[in-house]
């Protein structure tokens, strides 16, 4: 990750965009975490934002996300960044053995995860595009998607338009600039109200490290009237306490090579990591596994009980950051584990009509 001389490393979350240079998560330590009393005082609050609610707005967003715009989402200077080459790693229908460690490779084994996980595109308030990762989860409305809160907004007043992302668009199964299962605009979204801090108050480093980096989306129907889970299927979701050493499979769309020639990934294909979970020494509410993913993987699912034959598991967390925030060994990808706060967001989303 890039560093500015004389300052902490910037953009410790994994969104990587021009607006993200404000360093959404900076070198949190246990002393910087939100006081327990402050967390408890506002535990039940959910902050909601409307998305594309008219046909005209949905059509505009769908047309906005062209193949090359999707390929370059996250480039710091897209005007001069070459369009990345497509990744044609051959698919392999043979399933991996259950519990196979993986520090980061292209997922070639198909299954439900290849449809229910996708890239979440958005535009920062300064007009530059970015992307994260998101997952369709089982819900009554068949339209609920989970991601990281910092993929939806920065810290600040929810009434301030520039704290939110715009042109939000979910492409399940994204591959090489295509929309193999179509694209879905966002009807509404929600985060914890802990992101509502005023300027100069609590920073996003503390909010995320205190376990509030979860966001929920309710998607619009497709152009032909189908709900997203009717197209993609869904992953189970659970709100359980993490267990040290629990085996976790993680998926995401990292895109570090757009801005760093030494990076591995361009966001062209979904990447898989797997390993034993452990808490972050500097942020013990974040749990991670060995994984070389970075910018763009934010919001991606951390699944327990993953079955490589079917591509199904249970989402128990979403990617938040790397070891630069949470501590621990290099090459560790940390998740916000889904607890009571995430459960409240899910309860808000799961029955909403679309």
């Amino acid at each position: 990750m890039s560093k500015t001389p004389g300052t902490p490393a910037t953009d410790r979350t994994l969104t990587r965009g021009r607006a993200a240079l404000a360093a959404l998560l900076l070198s949190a330590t246990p002393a910087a975490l939100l006081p327990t009393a402050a967390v408890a005082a506002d535990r039940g609050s959910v902050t909601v934002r409307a998305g594309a609610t008219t046909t005209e707005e949905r059509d505009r967003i769908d047309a906005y996300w062209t193949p090359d715009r999707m390929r370059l989402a996250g480039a710091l200077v897209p005007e001069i960044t070459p369009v990345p080459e497509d990744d044609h790693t051959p698919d392999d229908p043979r399933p991996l053995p259950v519990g196979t460690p993986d520090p980061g490779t292209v997922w070639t084994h198909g299954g439900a995860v290849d449809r229910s996980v996708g890239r979440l595109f958005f535009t920062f308030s300064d007009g530059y595009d970015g992307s994260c990762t998101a997952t369709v989860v089982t819900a009554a409305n068949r339209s609920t998607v989970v991601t990281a809160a910092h993929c939806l907004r920065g810290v600040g007043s929810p009434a301030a338009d520039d704290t939110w992302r715009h042109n939000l668009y979910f492409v399940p199964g994204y591959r090489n600039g295509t929309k193999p299962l179509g694209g879905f605009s966002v009807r509404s979204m929600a985060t914890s109200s802990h992101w509502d801090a005023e300027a100069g108050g609590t920073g996003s480093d503390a909010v995320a490290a205190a376990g509030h980096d979860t966001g929920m989306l309710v998607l619009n129907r497709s152009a032909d009237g189908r709900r997203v889970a009717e197209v993609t299927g869904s992953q189970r979701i659970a709100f359980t306490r993490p267990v040290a050493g629990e085996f976790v499979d993680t998926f995401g769309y990292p895109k570090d090579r757009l801005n760093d020639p030494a990076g591995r990934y361009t966001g062209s294909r979904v990447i898989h990591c797997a390993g034993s979970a452990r808490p972050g020494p500097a942020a013990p509410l974040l749990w991670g596994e060995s994984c070389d993913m970075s910018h763009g993987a934010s919001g991606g699912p951390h699944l327990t009980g993953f079955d490589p034959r079917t591509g199904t598991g249970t989402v128990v967390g979403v990617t938040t950051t790397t070891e630069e925030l949470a501590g621990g060994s290099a090459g560790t990808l940390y998740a916000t584990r889904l607890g009571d706060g995430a459960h409240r967001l899910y309860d808000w989303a799961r029955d909403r009509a679309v």
Side-chain angles (χ1 to χ4, degrees):
M1 292 187 179
S2 61
K3 293 189 177 184
T4 302
T7 68
T10 60
D11 193 15
R12 294 279 173 83
T13 58
L14 310 180
T15 51
R16 190 72 179 210
R18 182 71 60 89
L21 291 179
L24 290 174
L25 297 182
L26 293 177
S27 57
T29 65
L33 303 187
L34 288 174
T36 301
V39 174
D42 198 20
R43 289 186 61 191
S45 297
V46 173
T47 295
V48 176
R49 168 96 167 176
T53 57
T54 67
T55 300
E56 292 76 16
E57 183 69 357
R58 294 195 294 270
D59 290 346
R60 184 194 66 78
I61 292 172
D62 183 73
Y64 180 83
W65 291 108
T66 62
D68 281 356
R69 190 180 290 276
M70 292 190 294
R71 288 184 173 103
L72 288 172
L76 291 176
V77 191
E79 300 87 346
I80 62 172
T81 302
V83 175
E85 295 182 0
D86 291 341
D87 185 330
H88 295 296
T89 303
D91 289 331
D92 183 356
R94 297 171 298 177
L96 290 176
V98 174
T100 301
D102 185 356
T105 57
V106 175
W107 179 255
T108 61
H109 305 286
V113 73
D114 219 18
R115 302 186 299 272
S116 55
V117 175
R119 277 184 85 174
L120 177 66
F121 296 96
F122 51 82
T123 303
F124 289 101
S125 60
D126 64 0
Y128 282 83
D129 298 322
S131 73
C132 282
T133 305
T135 308
V136 182
V137 292
T138 301
N141 63 5
R142 300 185 183 180
S143 300
T144 298
V145 168
V146 65
T147 189
H150 76 260
C151 298
L152 307 182
R153 61 183 298 204
V155 165
S157 168
D161 192 60
D162 62 357
T163 65
W164 294 90
R165 315 296 180 235
H166 305 276
N167 296 326
L168 284 130
Y169 192 63
F170 178 64
V171 180
Y174 173 89
R175 182 183 289 206
N176 293 330
T178 68
K179 307 173 186 179
L181 299 170
F184 296 79
S185 58
V186 173
R187 187 172 187 84
S188 56
M189 67 195 88
T191 68
S192 166
S193 59
H194 289 294
W195 290 83
D196 299 353
E198 296 298 327
T202 301
S204 49
D205 52 354
V207 180
H212 301 297
D213 195 21
T214 305
M216 292 284 173
L217 306 169
V218 177
L219 303 185
N220 286 308
R221 293 177 183 244
S222 65
D224 62 0
R226 291 191 294 173
R227 293 173 289 188
V228 66
E230 295 169 344
V231 177
T232 66
S234 61
Q235 298 290 337
R236 300 182 299 272
I237 187 168
F239 309 90
T240 56
R241 291 185 179 276
V243 177
E246 187 175 37
F247 197 85
V248 175
D249 288 80
T250 302
F251 294 85
Y253 282 92
K255 55 185 189 302
D256 49 305
R257 203 165 77 201
L258 288 178
N259 301 302
D260 180 1
R264 288 189 62 189
Y265 306 116
T266 61
S268 299
R269 299 280 294 273
V270 68
I271 305 302
H272 171 249
C273 292
S276 299
R278 53 190 181 273
L285 295 181
L286 305 181
W287 285 65
E289 305 82 47
S290 296
C291 184
D292 67 357
M293 285 194 268
S294 60
H295 310 290
S298 281
H302 291 232
L303 301 112
T304 58
F306 182 71
D307 183 350
R309 296 168 300 175
T310 63
T312 57
T314 300
V315 180
V316 296
V318 293
T319 294
T320 290
T321 190
T322 66
E323 76 283 348
E324 290 189 77
L325 170 66
S329 58
T332 305
L333 194 69
Y334 287 94
T336 295
R337 293 293 291 245
L338 306 183
D340 291 345
H343 204 164
R344 279 183 282 276
L345 294 172
Y346 175 74
D347 287 344
W348 165 85
R350 62 181 178 177
D351 294 318
R352 298 186 73 83
V354 294

Coordinates of all heavy atoms in Angstrom, one line a residue, residues 39-68:
V39 N -20.1 3.2 22.6 CA -20.7 2.1 21.8 C -22.0 1.6 22.3 O -23.0 1.5 21.5 CB -19.7 0.9 21.7 CG1 -20.3 -0.2 20.9 CG2 -18.4 1.4 21.0
A40 N -22.1 1.4 23.6 CA -23.3 0.9 24.1 C -24.5 1.9 24.1 O -25.6 1.5 23.9 CB -23.1 0.4 25.6
A41 N -24.2 3.2 24.1 CA -25.2 4.2 24.2 C -26.0 4.3 22.9 O -27.1 4.8 22.9 CB -24.5 5.5 24.5
D42 N -25.4 3.8 21.8 CA -26.1 3.9 20.5 C -26.2 2.6 19.7 O -26.1 2.6 18.5 CB -25.3 5.0 19.7 CG -26.2 5.5 18.5 OD1 -27.4 5.4 18.5 OD2 -25.6 6.0 17.6
R43 N -26.3 1.5 20.4 CA -26.1 0.2 19.8 C -27.2 -0.1 18.8 O -26.9 -0.8 17.8 CB -26.2 -0.9 20.9 CG -25.0 -0.9 21.8 CD -25.0 -2.1 22.7 NE -25.1 -3.4 22.0 CZ -25.4 -4.5 22.5 NH1 -25.7 -4.6 23.8 NH2 -25.4 -5.6 21.8
G44 N -28.4 0.4 19.0 CA -29.5 0.0 18.1 C -29.7 0.9 16.9 O -30.7 0.7 16.2
S45 N -28.9 1.9 16.7 CA -29.2 2.9 15.7 C -28.8 2.4 14.3 O -27.7 1.9 14.1 CB -28.5 4.2 16.0 OG -29.0 4.8 17.2
V46 N -29.6 2.7 13.3 CA -29.4 2.4 11.9 C -29.6 3.6 11.1 O -30.6 4.3 11.2 CB -30.3 1.2 11.4 CG1 -30.1 1.0 9.9 CG2 -30.1 0.0 12.2
T47 N -28.6 4.0 10.2 CA -28.7 5.1 9.4 C -29.0 4.7 8.0 O -28.3 3.8 7.4 CB -27.4 5.9 9.4 OG1 -27.2 6.5 10.7 CG2 -27.4 7.1 8.4
V48 N -30.1 5.2 7.4 CA -30.6 4.7 6.1 C -30.4 5.8 5.0 O -30.6 7.0 5.3 CB -32.1 4.3 6.2 CG1 -32.6 3.9 4.9 CG2 -32.2 3.2 7.2
R49 N -30.2 5.4 3.8 CA -30.0 6.3 2.7 C -30.8 5.7 1.5 O -30.6 4.6 1.2 CB -28.6 6.5 2.4 CG -28.3 7.2 1.0 CD -28.0 8.6 1.2 NE -27.4 9.3 0.0 CZ -27.2 10.5 -0.1 NH1 -27.5 11.4 0.9 NH2 -26.7 11.0 -1.2
A50 N -31.6 6.6 0.8 CA -32.2 6.1 -0.4 C -31.2 6.1 -1.6 O -30.3 6.9 -1.6 CB -33.4 7.0 -0.7
G51 N -31.5 5.2 -2.5 CA -30.6 5.1 -3.7 C -31.4 5.4 -4.9 O -32.1 6.5 -4.9
A52 N -31.4 4.6 -5.9 CA -32.1 4.8 -7.2 C -33.5 4.4 -7.1 O -33.8 3.2 -7.0 CB -31.4 4.1 -8.3
T53 N -34.4 5.3 -7.0 CA -35.8 4.9 -6.8 C -36.7 5.2 -8.0 O -37.9 4.8 -7.9 CB -36.4 5.7 -5.6 OG1 -36.3 7.1 -5.8 CG2 -35.7 5.4 -4.3
T54 N -36.2 5.7 -9.1 CA -37.0 5.9 -10.3 C -36.4 5.1 -11.4 O -35.2 4.8 -11.4 CB -37.0 7.4 -10.7 OG1 -35.7 7.8 -11.1 CG2 -37.5 8.3 -9.5
T55 N -37.3 4.8 -12.4 CA -36.8 4.1 -13.6 C -35.7 4.8 -14.3 O -34.7 4.3 -14.8 CB -38.0 3.8 -14.5 OG1 -39.0 3.0 -13.8 CG2 -37.5 3.1 -15.8
E56 N -35.9 6.2 -14.4 CA -34.9 7.0 -15.1 C -33.5 6.9 -14.4 O -32.5 6.8 -15.1 CB -35.4 8.4 -15.1 CG -36.6 8.7 -16.0 CD -37.9 8.2 -15.4 OE1 -37.9 8.0 -14.1 OE2 -38.9 8.1 -16.1
E57 N -33.5 6.9 -13.1 CA -32.2 6.9 -12.3 C -31.6 5.5 -12.5 O -30.4 5.3 -12.7 CB -32.5 7.2 -10.9 CG -31.2 7.2 -10.0 CD -30.3 8.4 -10.4 OE1 -30.5 9.2 -11.3 OE2 -29.2 8.5 -9.7
R58 N -32.4 4.4 -12.4 CA -31.9 3.1 -12.6 C -31.3 2.9 -14.0 O -30.2 2.3 -14.1 CB -33.0 2.0 -12.3 CG -33.5 2.0 -10.9 CD -34.3 0.8 -10.6 NE -35.5 0.7 -11.4 CZ -36.7 1.2 -10.9 NH1 -36.8 1.8 -9.8 NH2 -37.8 1.0 -11.6
D59 N -32.0 3.4 -15.0 CA -31.5 3.3 -16.4 C -30.2 4.1 -16.5 O -29.2 3.6 -17.2 CB -32.5 3.8 -17.4 CG -33.7 2.8 -17.5 OD1 -33.6 1.7 -17.0 OD2 -34.7 3.3 -18.0
R60 N -30.1 5.3 -15.9 CA -28.9 6.1 -16.0 C -27.7 5.4 -15.4 O -26.6 5.4 -16.0 CB -29.1 7.4 -15.3 CG -27.9 8.4 -15.5 CD -28.0 9.6 -14.5 NE -27.9 9.1 -13.1 CZ -26.7 8.8 -12.6 NH1 -25.6 8.8 -13.2 NH2 -26.7 8.5 -11.3
I61 N -27.9 4.8 -14.3 CA -26.8 4.1 -13.6 C -26.3 2.9 -14.4 O -25.1 2.6 -14.5 CB -27.2 3.7 -12.2 CG1 -27.3 5.0 -11.3 CG2 -26.2 2.8 -11.5 CD1 -27.9 4.8 -9.9
D62 N -27.3 2.1 -14.9 CA -26.9 1.0 -15.7 C -26.1 1.4 -16.9 O -25.1 0.7 -17.3 CB -28.2 0.3 -16.2 CG -27.9 -1.0 -16.9 OD1 -27.5 -2.0 -16.3 OD2 -28.1 -1.0 -18.2
A63 N -26.5 2.5 -17.6 CA -25.7 2.9 -18.8 C -24.4 3.5 -18.4 O -23.4 3.4 -19.2 CB -26.6 4.0 -19.5
Y64 N -24.3 4.0 -17.2 CA -23.0 4.7 -16.7 C -21.9 3.6 -16.6 O -20.7 3.9 -17.0 CB -23.2 5.3 -15.4 CG -22.0 6.0 -14.8 CD1 -21.7 7.3 -15.1 CD2 -21.2 5.3 -13.8 CE1 -20.6 7.9 -14.6 CE2 -20.1 6.0 -13.2 CZ -19.8 7.2 -13.6 OH -18.7 7.9 -13.1
W65 N -22.2 2.4 -16.2 CA -21.2 1.4 -15.9 C -20.9 0.6 -17.2 O -21.4 -0.5 -17.4 CB -21.5 0.6 -14.7 CG -21.5 1.3 -13.5 CD1 -22.6 1.8 -12.7 CD2 -20.3 1.9 -12.8 NE1 -22.1 2.5 -11.6 CE2 -20.7 2.6 -11.7 CE3 -19.0 1.8 -13.1 CZ2 -19.9 3.2 -10.8 CZ3 -18.1 2.4 -12.3 CH2 -18.5 3.1 -11.1
T66 N -20.1 1.2 -18.1 CA -19.7 0.6 -19.3 C -18.5 -0.4 -19.0 O -17.9 -0.3 -17.9 CB -19.2 1.7 -20.3 OG1 -18.0 2.3 -19.7 CG2 -20.2 2.7 -20.6
P67 N -18.2 -1.3 -19.9 CA -17.1 -2.2 -19.7 C -15.8 -1.6 -19.3 O -15.2 -2.0 -18.3 CB -17.0 -3.0 -21.0 CG -18.4 -3.0 -21.6 CD -18.9 -1.6 -21.2
D68 N -15.4 -0.5 -20.0 CA -14.1 0.1 -19.6 C -14.2 0.9 -18.3 O -13.2 1.0 -17.5 CB -13.6 1.0 -20.7 CG -12.9 0.2 -21.9 OD1 -12.8 -1.0 -21.7 OD2 -12.6 0.8 -22.9

